[in-house]
Amino acid sequence: MKYTELTKQFRQFFELPLTPVAVKFNSDNEPNIPHPMRYCEIVRKAAAFGTSYTCSADDMSCASAELALGFIEPAYGEVYPRVKPADTKKMTVEPLDKCEFEPDVVVVVGTASKLMRVAATLSKVKGDMVNARFKGEFAVCGECTTIPVMENKVNLSLLCAGARMFSDYRNDEIVFGFPMEAFVELTESLKEESITKALCGCLMDDLPARLVEAILALGFTKGTDHFLGRFGDEIVRLYIPKDESGKSSSITLHVPVKFKDADNAKGSKDVASCLFEEPMNYRLRDNWVDVILLIDLHEPIRRAAMKTEKFNALVNNGIEVMLDRVAKFKRKTIQ
């Protein structure tokens, strides 16, 4: 199947028991719903049991879903969120790993703890906070299907009473809705294991005060899970990643380079691959290229930071190398 490996990779990385669900508006499939069902029920059955459904307006047992998904226009006033114009004739919902068509939306059902990891990884991939819009109504249909397809945004929902009462969603489950392109971008970034780990910083509360002071003395300020500093014309982030045993013996420096648009960023790939070789790396992210340098301290970071002169030299030299390479990269790519 077209998306089998993509689904497997996503589920294994985030340890999800339910499969992501592909949603296609106005698909070529014929309706096969055995009896009228709620859209949120269709989604959860597809995620939990691997069933595939194609439904029309006549197959919807929930008026909210009919409105949100664009089967009908509202009779009175405006409704948000909803598909505009209301030209949906039928929809196909099926497990992503069985999907042969190009989905419009991917819906992910999971516990709060599992989807917390999805949100944290998504935030690092996008380089920004995950903004969610929800109100406890129109949850799976509106918040996790309509908003992703109409606004091209990832959205998170805490579900609604209908989903929990009638569609078998568990008390600890929540739902993510992804535009297909965003889901692919997130999942493919999971292949970049070195980058994913490198940009997974320790929380500041986990670090000893002496280590924090040593890094602040280098010209950084403290964030939530990284340090931030301006060096010359560049903003440099400093992360302290943990290894599999939970210990830290390295530092990651990160500099984002902004391009006019995503096409220009992609066009810089050949230059980036030549300039940013091990122990450096890079990642394309929309209209950005993230430049990453991993500094191996060869000992626990707490101990390394106590050797002030050597520690400062390692970090400052890393910053100098980063800035030099980034400057060359900009000269060759950004006019």
Side-chain angles (χ1 to χ4, degrees), residues 106 126 131 142 230 240 284:
V106 175
K126 302 300 289 185
N131 295 311
R230 176 175 287 278
I240 302 175
L284 297 175

Side-chain angles (χ1 to χ4, degrees), residues 57-209:
D58 293 337
D59 300 311
M60 292 283 102
S61 65
C62 175
S64 295
E66 287 186 81
L67 282 168
L69 298 172
F71 284 107
I72 59 174
E73 294 280 356
Y76 305 100
E78 186 51 272
V79 173
Y80 177 83
R82 72 180 182 92
V83 172
K84 298 181 184 180
D87 58 2
T88 306
K89 304 304 180 186
K90 53 186 178 178
M91 294 178 66
T92 293
V93 178
E94 69 179 35
L96 182 61
D97 55 354
K98 296 181 179 179
C99 177
E100 291 289 349
F101 54 77
E102 183 74 18
D104 296 311
V105 178
V106 175
V107 180
V108 178
V109 181
T111 63
S113 62
K114 298 292 187 185
L115 297 197
M116 174 191 70
R117 289 189 60 213
V118 174
T121 307
L122 179 64
S123 176
K124 290 179 172 61
V125 169
K126 302 300 289 185
D128 201 357
M129 300 286 285
V130 177
N131 295 311
R133 306 187 70 184
F134 55 85
K135 60 181 179 179
E137 299 175 354
F138 291 71
V140 182
C141 56
E143 293 168 354
C144 292
T145 305
T146 299
I147 288 178
V149 77
M150 292 299 295
E151 302 179 24
N152 195 33
K153 295 178 180 177
V154 176
N155 201 41
L156 173 70
S157 174
L158 300 187
L159 294 177
C160 58
R164 296 200 186 278
M165 290 177 63
F166 303 113
S167 300
D168 202 30
Y169 286 82
R170 309 296 192 253
N171 288 338
D172 60 350
E173 286 179 339
I174 56 178
V175 179
F176 251 121
F178 293 81
M180 184 59 191
E181 184 178 350
F183 182 84
V184 171
E185 180 186 11
L186 172 62
T187 307
E188 289 186 342
S189 76
L190 305 179
K191 298 176 184 176
E192 308 167 33
E193 187 175 1
S194 61
I195 293 176
T196 303
K197 288 184 177 179
L199 296 183
C200 185
C202 299
L203 292 176
M204 298 299 102
D205 292 343
D206 295 338
L207 301 176

